[in-house]
Every structure is written in C-alpha cells, then in structure tokens.
Amino acid sequence: MKILLFPIAILTGVSAMGQQVPAPAANDTVKGNAKEIEAVTLVARKPTVESKVDRTVFNVANSAILAGNTTWDVLRMTPLVSIDNNDEVKAEGQLVTVYINDRKSVFTGKELKEYLKTIPADNLMKIEVITSPSSRYETSGSVINIVLKKRDDEGLKGSISLNNRQSTKNSQYTNFNLNYHKKKFTQTLIGGYNNGTYVQTNQT
C-alpha cells in the first residue's frame, strides 16, 4: 500500500494588519491670538466758555491762548470783561470786585494790573465772571474770580502809597476911594491893587 504523502502546502497568508496611525492629539487648550487691550482713558474736556445760572466761566487751562501771555492779558480776553483807560476792570460795564482763588484781592486799578502781569498765564486755570455772587463774597456787585493752578497769591504781599502835598497861597488886595466935594465941584478917585500867588507841590 502506497502512502502518498501529499505535501500540504501551507499557504501562509500574510494578513495585512492595518496599523492605525493615532490622530494627533488635540491640545486641550486652544491657543488663540492673544491680544492685549490697553487701558483707554477718556478725558472729558470742558467747553471754553460755560454759561451757568450765576456766572460765566472762561476755561483756559491747557489752551493755546496761554502761550506767551500773562494773567492780565487773558483777563482782557475774557467774555463780559472790559478794562477802561484807567485799568479799572468791569463786567458788563459795571465795576467789579476781583478775587484770586476765592480770596479778595488787595489790589485795584493799576496795582492789580501790575500784579497780574507778574503771573504767567500757564498758571491760570479759569476766570469766573460771577454776576450774581452769593453771600460768601463781600460785595453786592459782580465778582471776577481768577482761579490759579497753584497759590501764587500766598505769602507776604502788599503795597504802599505816600502822598505829600504842600500848598502856599499869598494874596494881597488893596482898595482906596477918595472923594473931594466943594460947592458944585466933585472929584472922585477910586483905585485898587490885587496880587495873588499860589504854589502847589506834589510828591508821590
């Protein structure tokens, strides 16, 4: 008996094993474009001229008109304010009382002019023309309040005025009257002499 050995061909199948390529892991944190927002500061700028119930305010802080000027120069530009030839400050044609930082000024007229000319306009915040002042102001008329950034009106300040007047008056007066009468003849002689000298010397 012949035993036929059939070679058993073992077909080795190569099974292709699919290799799964892992998907890239998604980052838990998604990095976006980081944008820094800078803080924005809103500055509310006051109008140059404010009309209120009792006053008109001329806001000049950081204004271009301050460059190269003095506080006196800016006062001359203030609405409702006028200055006459004697340097008297008026509001709507009426004499006013001037305050500096809510303090009554000791200066008036030319003295006030010379004082305000020493204060640079850069130090000026606003000028208030108060037509209906409250009882805090020692006046019944209008008030101009000059508000400075810093108190330049503090410290020792003042003024002195000396006036010496000497008068000399010399007056001479002579009068005479002569009358001669005899019978029908009458002769009258009238004469007068007047001499006056007046000398005045002023020293200020």
Side-chain angles (χ1 to χ4, degrees):
M1 177 176 169
K2 293 181 181 178
I3 299 173
L4 297 175
L5 297 176
F6 293 96
I8 299 173
I10 299 173
L11 299 176
T12 303
V14 180
S15 54
M17 300 177 61
Q19 298 180 356
Q20 295 181 351
V21 179
N27 293 333
D28 294 336
T29 303
V30 179
K31 295 181 179 179
N33 293 330
K35 294 182 179 180
E36 295 182 0
I37 301 177
E38 297 181 356
V40 178
T41 303
L42 298 178
V43 179
R45 176 170 294 180
K46 294 182 179 180
T48 303
V49 179
E50 286 185 281
S51 296
K52 298 184 178 181
V53 176
D54 61 337
R55 69 192 64 193
T56 298
V57 183
F58 191 32
N59 296 303
V60 295
N62 302 320
S63 174
I65 67 173
L66 302 183
N69 285 321
T70 66
T71 298
W72 175 257
D73 298 325
V74 178
L75 181 62
R76 297 175 65 91
M77 307 176 196
T78 303
L80 305 182
V81 174
S82 61
I83 300 174
D84 61 17
N85 294 331
N86 295 322
D87 297 321
E88 293 291 344
V89 181
K90 299 180 179 180
E92 296 184 325
Q94 302 296 323
L95 290 176
V96 299
T97 304
V98 177
Y99 279 68
I100 299 176
N101 286 351
D102 287 323
R103 288 183 175 180
K104 188 176 181 179
S105 174
V106 297
F107 303 119
T108 58
K110 295 185 182 299
E111 294 175 347
L112 178 66
K113 173 184 177 181
E114 295 303 320
Y115 174 68
L116 294 181
K117 287 176 69 175
T118 64
I119 304 177
D122 292 340
N123 197 30
L124 184 61
M125 286 187 64
K126 60 184 177 180
I127 297 177
E128 299 175 323
V129 182
I130 308 173
T131 52
S132 300
S134 62
S135 58
R136 63 180 294 185
Y137 297 102
E138 301 174 0
T139 180
S140 58
S142 298
V143 168
I144 291 180
N145 184 33
I146 300 173
V147 182
L148 304 176
K149 295 178 182 178
K150 55 184 178 181
R151 303 297 292 258
D152 272 3
D153 59 333
E154 292 186 347
L156 181 62
K157 291 183 174 64
S159 63
I160 183 171
S161 177
L162 301 176
N163 184 28
N164 180 23
R165 175 175 293 180
Q166 296 179 349
S167 300
T168 302
K169 186 175 182 180
N170 184 13
S171 179
Q172 297 175 352
Y173 179 75
T174 303
N175 186 27
F176 63 90
N177 186 348
L178 298 176
N179 181 271
Y180 176 78
H181 178 72
K182 186 177 182 181
K183 295 183 180 181
K184 295 183 179 180
F185 178 77
T186 299
Q187 178 67 46
T188 301
L189 179 63
I190 299 175
Y193 173 77
N194 184 17
N195 181 23
T197 303
Y198 181 75
V199 178
Q200 178 174 315
T201 302
N202 289 330
Q203 294 179 349
T204 302

